[in-house]
Amino acid sequence: MNKVVGKERFSENVVKFAVEAPLIARSRKAGHFVIVRVGEKGERIPLTIAGADTEKGTIDLVIQAVGKSSQKICGLNVGDYITDIVGPLGQATHIEKVGTVVCAGGGVGVAPLYPIVEAFHKAGNKVIVVLAARTKDLIIMEEQMKAASDEVVIMTDDGSYGVKGLVTNGVETVINREKVDLCVTIGPAIMMKFVSELTKRYNIPTIASLNTIMVDGTGMCGACRVTVRGKIRFVCVDGPEFDAHQVDFDEMMMRQRSYKTME
């Protein structure tokens, strides 16, 4: 069992936990995820690791309360225990010095984007982060992103904070003022689709993390099947990151809707 040692509420439905997991904290890399279970009969939930402290032996998990299981986890408090945490799982982000990297995050996708931003910056890249949400209250981890990057651009749909507009407006503004060598995008599938279509027009290599479609997290259930470059891939074992320009996002979004009734 893993003890919850820290809890921070980002918004009404989004919570950040610091959880004791020393072995995972030491071995995890940017892009890795874990499987979390609360209760002996609890649902297995894949969550991308949003950060780690090797000295304290903790990992950070950011969770949005959507269904019954995620609401149960978000209801935990400091001192409570998570029944199981398995990981790190998945393929780590390939980090290298490429020049200027734009990292575009939307909603809770900002959390798994953070260790990637941190890693690319430590590798010597200029990192520009574009954070997007419907309104100011839904912007998360702004200060952490500022500390780990060269610049943070805020976009809100309603203009209540930063610049009014979509994440693609922010990304294109950066593209139009300097040479961008790589784009990384994490967030809702529809957001990643449009970021990918934008960067494809500018011939900018783009990585998308498809962690939102995962269910079992070990390749057994097959729910995370996606078509990449015309071939079937499993997000949990082959990813979660792929060449965004080769992902069939329409198929992915259709697969996500398959579970809407049960949710």
Side-chain angles (χ1 to χ4, degrees):
M1 298 181 76
N2 303 81
K3 187 177 182 179
V4 175
V5 295
K7 181 178 182 179
E8 179 183 355
R9 190 168 290 279
F10 285 153
S11 65
E12 183 180 354
N13 294 317
V14 180
V15 179
K16 174 187 173 184
F17 289 104
V19 183
E20 288 182 345
L23 295 179
I24 298 175
R26 289 201 297 267
S27 57
R28 71 93 206 189
K29 294 181 180 178
H32 279 149
F33 68 94
V34 293
I35 293 290
V36 173
R37 187 169 66 103
V38 175
E40 291 300 323
K41 296 183 179 180
E43 180 184 8
R44 295 160 54 87
I45 299 179
L47 297 169
T48 309
I49 303 170
D53 188 321
T54 53
E55 292 185 4
K56 294 180 180 178
T58 61
I59 60 172
D60 294 333
L61 302 174
V62 176
I63 306 167
Q64 182 175 22
V66 179
K68 182 177 179 180
S69 297
S70 56
Q71 288 173 355
K72 186 176 181 180
I73 295 176
C74 289
L76 295 176
N77 293 303
V78 173
D80 291 336
Y81 287 85
I82 291 176
T83 308
D84 296 308
I85 297 182
V86 179
L89 300 171
Q91 305 297 319
T93 307
H94 177 70
I95 303 294
E96 63 177 330
K97 186 174 181 180
V98 296
T100 298
V101 182
V102 170
C103 295
V108 290
V110 172
L113 188 65
Y114 173 68
I116 296 172
V117 168
E118 195 175 36
F120 270 114
H121 197 250
K122 286 183 178 178
N125 295 284
K126 179 178 182 180
V127 181
I128 301 171
V129 179
V130 181
L131 301 182
R134 293 193 306 275
T135 186
K136 179 181 179 179
D137 293 340
L138 299 178
I139 294 289
I140 65 172
M141 301 185 72
E142 179 184 356
E143 294 307 315
Q144 292 95 320
M145 287 296 192
K146 285 181 177 179
S149 66
D150 294 278
E151 181 185 353
V152 174
V153 177
I154 305 291
M155 306 296 298
T156 51
D157 293 358
D158 62 2
S160 57
Y161 190 49
V163 179
K164 184 176 182 179
L166 303 174
V167 65
T168 46
N169 300 129
V171 172
E172 190 162 28
T173 297
V174 176
I175 292 172
N176 287 333
R177 63 176 162 84
E178 57 187 286
K179 181 180 181 296
V180 175
D181 300 287
L182 177 69
C183 179
V184 181
T185 181
I186 308 180
I190 189 69
M191 185 206 88
M192 293 188 289
K193 174 185 176 179
F194 285 116
V195 169
S196 175
E197 289 179 353
L198 171 67
T199 57
K200 191 172 184 177
R201 295 203 303 269
Y202 288 96
N203 295 313
I204 298 170
T206 301
I207 297 168
S209 180
L210 311 184
N211 52 55
T212 57
I213 199 175
M214 293 190 295
V215 177
D216 175 78
T218 62
M220 296 295 288
C221 70
C224 68
R225 294 193 306 276
V226 292
T227 300
V228 182
R229 205 183 296 272
K231 296 183 179 180
I232 297 298
R233 292 288 183 263
F234 292 85
V235 172
C236 61
V237 292
D238 297 320
E241 297 170 2
F242 297 93
D243 179 344
H245 298 160
Q246 301 299 327
V247 174
D248 186 336
F249 282 105
D250 291 331
E251 178 193 62
M252 176 183 167
M253 289 186 286
M254 181 176 65
R255 186 173 296 281
Q256 284 182 308
R257 289 194 292 270
S258 300
Y259 303 96
K260 204 71 177 177
T261 302
M262 286 171 277
E263 289 175 352

